Amino acid sequence: MSLILENISLTIAGHALLKPMSLSVDPGEVVTIMGPSGSGKSSLLSFIAGDAPQPLLGQGKVLLDRTDITGLRPEQRCIGRLFQDDLLFPHMTVGENLLFATPRGPRVEREAIMRTALKRAELEGFENRAPHTLSGGQRARVSLMRALLAKPKAMLLDEPFNKLDAALCSTIRDYTFMHLKARQVPTILVTHDRADAPSGGRIFEISLSGELISV
Amino acid sequence: MAKTRLVKGGVAFFVLALFLLPLLASLAFAFQSGFSAEGWAALWRHPQLWPSLWLSLATGVAGTVLALIAALLIVASLFETRFWQNLSVAMGAMLAVPHVALAVALSFLIMPAGLIARIIGLFLQWQTPPQWVTTHDPFGIALTLALVLKETPFIIWVLAGLLSREDVKLNFANQRSAAFGLGHGSGSVWLRIFIPQLFGNLLWPLVIVFVYGATVVDMSLAIGPTQPPTLATIIWADINSEQVAHNARGAAGTIFISFSLITVLGVAWALTKTLKPLWRALLTEGPSTWKVPTMTGQIKHSSFIGIYALLLVLLVVLSLAKSWPFPQLWPETSFHSWGQISHQSGAVVTSLVLAFTASGTALILLVAWFETMPHHFDRPLLWASLALLGLPSLFVGLGQYQMFLYLGLTGTGLGLFLAHLLPVMAYMMIVLAQGYRAYDLRYMVTAGSLNASLLSNLLRIKWPMLKAQIWAAFAVGFAVSVVQYIPAQLVAAGRFSTLPMEVVTLTSGANRSLLAAFSLLLTVPPLLVYGAAALMGRSRWRHT
């Protein structure tokens, strides 16, 4: 399963943000896209996910598993996302947050899946805790596990390590890449910090003129 | 695509047709009816015009200034103390108490045969009530006192809302630490740093308080001066008169009082401009160790709660009084007033049905609006809502009445409902807009990326996260609906009766027990709904 971007371009209020570009992300690969803020890297993710805000106009195709998903609604695309903030739903327990993402099925099975995910997050027994009682690193791990439970066919990471402190940052980064690789999820990471990119991965940069350049 | 466009169009149509258009049309109708030459000639000939205008303006200004000072003192001494968390809750409950019910209860407390006189009389062996002029006094002192009691919690609520925002709180806490380091005491910090920054946000709430106080009718009838009365009550009598000539004079008076208020606001504005150099000098005077007297804040805050509780108890006791001869502290009790009400429960039912349907409709319309319209479309609605709150309700009420006459809606249930919906929607828009629009949409994106459908996203993520704001807005809408007097009285055209109408009618009668019972009936539903809303909107985690 791979994520393919075909001839995607973005314009905002008549001004070209991103010139036509194509990119293919292989299963388990993490492609990093860099650029200063305002360069359109977050807009590109919004376009791929299908929730680009009003003034943004995008053209081109997004293919997942050789299927064109450009016309689908965001929740039908099976594309997972992680942001700077963990965005755990504050009115749900940790366990409920995970169950929210777990596909439908018998209750017992889903709870077992949820508990396995907790174990992978090294948070066994945390299911009834309120999100705000967890540390930043714990929350980041829950957030990743929640995204993975929905069985995403691709992942989009929008500077997810940005708000973590330096020591935690590298741990969470390795943890995230390890799980994405294990599940063979094609992933696009946008960041302005080169250190965020996995070693040996492909890195691109959006130039000032809106072109995607391999670094 | 066509379907979403249809939904959006429908939402926009209903919000415009039920809120924005009626509001604008009301203003046009009010102006149109207020410009008859005979009306203005009769108004100038009115012997009580100038003294009553003076009374209206004086009570409005005094009530606003005193309430502002009391609110600032309380907020300054309670900010970031352990009382702070509960302050908004207590103030919200006080906000839910209707103005007119408070005025009625206050008059029972301070009138010559009232509770205070009885307690003093107990020690001084009085056998007859003293010759006090404590209610309906010619200077409007009792009315001012009632206004201060009612508006102080409102201003505190506005301030607490601002200061509870995380960004503002953090910012202020940092600024305060910096100022402490420069040798300023807490009082100096408030005076020189906090108040100047907060003042811009207080301006419109103060205008609302002033306009309300200077044009209030029901409160003034319950406790205000009578010889002469306030101008608003004179105008009100004219508008309701059977004589067409009086109606014209009342319409002219409505325009006149509105422009008088604008003049006062203009003078106040000019005054702040001229005083600015003095203010600047005060700001930059240098460190002062002046502290906010913390104790007085706690005392004042608790005394507000105490007075409200006492007034409610007084209403309960009086509603149970069969007879209560003067020196006695406790009446002979019976349930006859409540029995009487159970036989004429029409007003109760009408008021409750209106309150639930109006606030329910407004909630559905507003949520539909927020879900379908882009953020910047809120602006005209917010402006209209704020304008409605800052306009004399006599003015809007008169225009609405004229419009409904034209449309044949007076005396109909639909007309009565629409008259309640207008102010309810305005208040709910203001209460709901900020919280709803501040919602972090990435939560919805995240839920969507976890394969949640739009409906499931709304039902399970967004609305539960916004439930505190949604329930609070409903409670505010409910309370606003229950207390509507001017538009209700005019539009009902004698065909319907609501609780505030009953209360106002009874204020001119002698049956105090029944008046107390109806005042309680007016007070209890909004308080209950406020309590229920606070309970429903509570976070499931004990502490957040």
Side-chain angles (χ1 to χ4, degrees):
Chain A
M1 197 171 358
S2 53
L3 171 68
I4 297 166
L5 310 180
E6 261 184 33
N7 268 324
I8 289 182
S9 63
L10 298 173
T11 50
I12 187 157
H15 155 82
L17 199 58
L18 185 68
K19 297 209 170 125
M21 52 80 81
S22 297
L23 180 67
S24 169
V25 188
D26 294 332
E29 184 189 10
V30 178
V31 169
T32 307
I33 296 180
M34 301 194 27
S37 57
S39 61
K41 50 194 195 313
S42 292
S43 303
L44 175 63
L45 295 195
S46 294
F47 178 75
I48 299 169
D51 61 6
Q54 249 340 311
L56 188 75
L57 278 175
Q59 285 192 324
K61 276 187 192 168
V62 182
L63 296 125
L64 253 182
D65 226 2
R66 289 194 213 100
T67 322
D68 185 359
I69 59 162
T70 324
L72 295 182
R73 286 205 305 271
E75 71 268 19
Q76 296 169 330
R77 296 191 177 195
C78 294
I79 294 183
R81 298 181 78 178
L82 289 179
F83 296 91
Q84 271 183 32
D85 300 290
D86 51 73
L87 298 172
L88 296 182
F89 304 125
H91 61 300
M92 294 181 175
T93 61
V94 170
E96 286 164 347
N97 264 286
L98 294 173
L99 283 172
F100 184 82
T102 314
R104 303 209 163 203
R107 182 91 208 164
V108 190
E109 272 176 40
R110 297 178 74 238
E111 288 191 347
I113 294 172
M114 180 265 284
R115 266 189 219 102
T116 316
L118 270 180
K119 202 186 270 174
R120 289 210 183 108
E122 293 153 51
L123 288 169
E124 251 183 306
F126 272 61
E127 56 259 46
N128 291 324
R129 293 273 292 269
H132 69 266
T133 62
L134 270 59
S135 72
Q138 291 170 333
R139 292 171 61 115
R141 296 203 297 269
V142 176
S143 184
L144 174 67
M145 279 307 149
R146 183 178 68 175
L148 293 176
L149 279 178
K151 302 206 165 126
K153 293 182 182 156
M155 280 290 283
L156 305 174
L157 314 185
D158 194 347
E159 309 207 22
F161 316 120
N162 211 14
K163 282 196 175 168
L164 300 169
D165 57 61
L168 202 56
C169 191
S170 65
T171 325
I172 294 291
R173 198 158 46 207
D174 295 344
Y175 179 83
T176 306
F177 293 148
M178 179 189 86
H179 279 282
L180 290 171
K181 181 142 193 107
R183 272 157 233 242
Q184 290 291 293
V185 183
T187 301
I188 296 179
L189 165 73
V190 307
T191 178
H192 61 261
D193 184 359
R194 191 159 193 160
D196 279 350
S199 53
R202 284 191 288 161
I203 302 178
F204 295 88
E205 194 170 312
I206 298 180
S207 72
L208 282 173
S209 58
E211 274 161 302
L212 194 72
I213 304 162
S214 174
V215 181
Chain B
M1 233 22 205
K3 210 169 114 195
T4 32
R5 204 170 301 160
L6 196 68
V7 172
K8 282 187 184 188
V11 171
F13 170 79
F14 274 107
V15 171
L16 294 184
L18 293 176
F19 181 69
L20 213 50
L21 281 181
L23 176 58
L24 295 175
S26 297
L27 303 187
F29 270 96
F31 270 116
Q32 185 253 331
S33 70
F35 284 107
S36 74
E38 302 83 38
W40 282 88
L43 181 70
W44 298 132
R45 282 198 305 272
H46 199 297
Q48 293 177 319
L49 176 66
W50 298 105
S52 65
L53 173 67
W54 166 244
L55 262 178
S56 283
L57 298 182
T59 46
V61 169
T64 311
V65 171
L66 293 174
L68 173 66
I69 293 172
L72 282 174
L73 278 174
I74 291 175
V75 168
S77 49
L78 296 183
F79 181 57
E80 297 227 298
T81 65
R82 65 201 163 89
F83 299 97
W84 185 249
Q85 280 264 304
N86 297 328
L87 188 65
S88 298
V89 181
M91 292 304 136
M94 289 187 206
L95 279 183
V97 174
H99 284 79
V100 68
L102 185 89
V104 166
L106 183 66
S107 71
F108 290 146
L109 186 67
I110 62 176
M111 64 202 247
L115 191 63
I116 289 179
R118 286 167 201 259
I119 292 172
I120 298 174
L122 193 69
F123 295 103
L124 299 182
Q125 313 275 309
W126 287 346
Q127 291 310 309
T128 52
Q131 301 287 317
W132 289 352
V133 191
T134 41
T135 58
H136 304 297
D137 63 289
F139 302 109
I141 295 172
L143 177 58
T144 306
L145 184 64
L147 283 169
V148 172
L149 263 183
K150 191 64 192 68
E151 302 300 0
T152 304
F154 172 68
I155 299 175
I156 293 178
W157 181 75
V158 171
L159 282 169
L162 272 171
L163 291 170
S164 299
R165 269 172 43 192
E166 286 305 321
D167 51 333
V168 177
K169 199 156 80 181
L170 185 68
N171 213 342
F172 271 34
N174 290 339
Q175 291 179 21
R176 188 172 55 172
S177 309
F180 282 165
L182 299 171
H184 282 270
S186 56
S188 182
V189 169
W190 273 90
L191 191 65
R192 298 194 167 86
I193 300 179
F194 289 180
I195 293 177
Q197 292 184 65
L198 291 169
F199 204 71
N201 293 307
L202 273 181
L203 276 180
W204 196 248
L206 288 176
V207 169
I208 292 171
V209 168
F210 166 65
V211 171
Y212 183 90
T215 60
V216 66
V217 169
D218 50 5
M219 253 184 146
S220 186
L221 288 170
I223 203 171
T226 49
Q227 288 302 331
T230 57
L231 185 54
T233 50
I234 292 181
I235 295 169
W236 181 238
D238 275 350
I239 293 176
N240 281 288
S241 169
E242 307 274 315
Q243 298 180 39
V244 179
H246 283 178
N247 296 161
R249 185 173 69 179
T254 305
I255 306 281
F256 174 66
I257 199 171
S258 305
F259 279 101
S260 305
L261 297 181
I262 293 174
T263 310
V264 171
L265 291 173
V267 169
W269 181 78
L271 211 61
T272 54
K273 285 283 162 207
T274 37
L275 291 180
K276 208 159 192 181
L278 278 177
W279 180 246
R280 288 270 144 217
L282 181 73
L283 285 188
T284 50
E285 225 172 22
S288 134
T289 51
W290 180 54
K291 278 203 179 82
V292 171
T294 315
M295 272 308 287
T296 56
Q298 280 160 22
I299 292 168
K300 283 198 205 89
H301 167 230
S302 340
S303 64
F304 262 90
I305 296 175
I307 290 174
Y308 270 73
L310 175 68
L311 292 177
L312 284 185
V313 172
L314 193 58
L315 282 182
V316 174
V317 175
L318 200 67
S319 76
L320 294 172
K322 190 172 161 202
S323 66
W324 198 350
F326 173 67
Q328 291 174 19
L329 276 181
W330 195 255
E332 193 182 323
T333 57
S334 87
F335 283 99
H336 74 281
S337 289
W338 292 105
Q340 200 173 330
I341 286 176
S342 67
H343 292 302
Q344 41 164 303
S345 55
V348 184
V349 175
T350 310
S351 274
L352 290 183
V353 168
L354 280 170
F356 277 113
T357 50
S359 39
T361 308
L363 187 63
I364 293 169
L365 282 174
L366 288 176
V367 167
W369 173 272
F370 292 134
E371 288 303 335
T372 52
M373 297 294 152
H375 196 159
H376 60 273
F377 279 24
D378 289 2
R379 191 146 294 176
L381 276 197
L382 273 172
W383 278 109
S385 303
L386 284 167
L388 180 64
L389 267 54
L391 283 167
S393 50
L394 271 174
F395 189 81
V396 182
L398 175 71
Q400 197 175 41
Y401 173 61
Q402 298 289 348
M403 177 174 64
F404 282 6
L405 268 183
Y406 180 76
L407 297 173
L409 282 171
T410 46
T412 66
L414 178 65
L416 198 61
F417 168 74
L418 291 176
H420 282 78
L421 184 64
L422 190 67
V424 166
M425 252 180 104
Y427 271 94
M428 287 175 70
M429 177 74 196
I430 290 165
V431 173
L432 200 51
Q434 202 181 21
Y436 211 101
R437 291 302 194 185
Y439 182 77
D440 189 343
L441 285 173
R442 292 176 310 167
Y443 281 112
M444 283 190 87
V445 173
T446 306
S449 77
L450 302 171
N451 312 329
S453 69
L454 181 64
L455 188 66
S456 148
N457 207 326
L458 289 175
L459 288 176
R460 292 165 65 197
I461 305 296
K462 189 172 188 183
W463 291 340
M465 283 175 74
L466 287 171
K467 68 178 175 173
Q469 287 93 325
I470 290 173
W471 281 110
F474 182 80
V476 167
F478 188 92
V480 168
S481 173
V482 166
V483 299
Q484 289 307 309
Y485 172 61
I486 288 175
Q489 169 82 30
L490 287 174
V491 171
R495 299 267 318 276
F496 296 92
S497 175
T498 64
L499 284 169
M501 296 185 209
E502 294 288 341
V503 170
V504 172
T505 309
L506 286 166
T507 53
S508 57
N511 194 342
R512 286 185 192 148
S513 176
L514 195 61
L515 172 58
F518 266 111
S519 299
L520 258 186
L521 274 178
L522 186 64
T523 309
V524 171
L527 269 181
L528 283 182
V529 170
Y530 174 77
L535 215 61
M536 298 293 287
R538 208 172 36 159
S539 162
R540 63 188 287 198
W541 320 116
R542 288 275 160 73
H543 51 279
T544 41

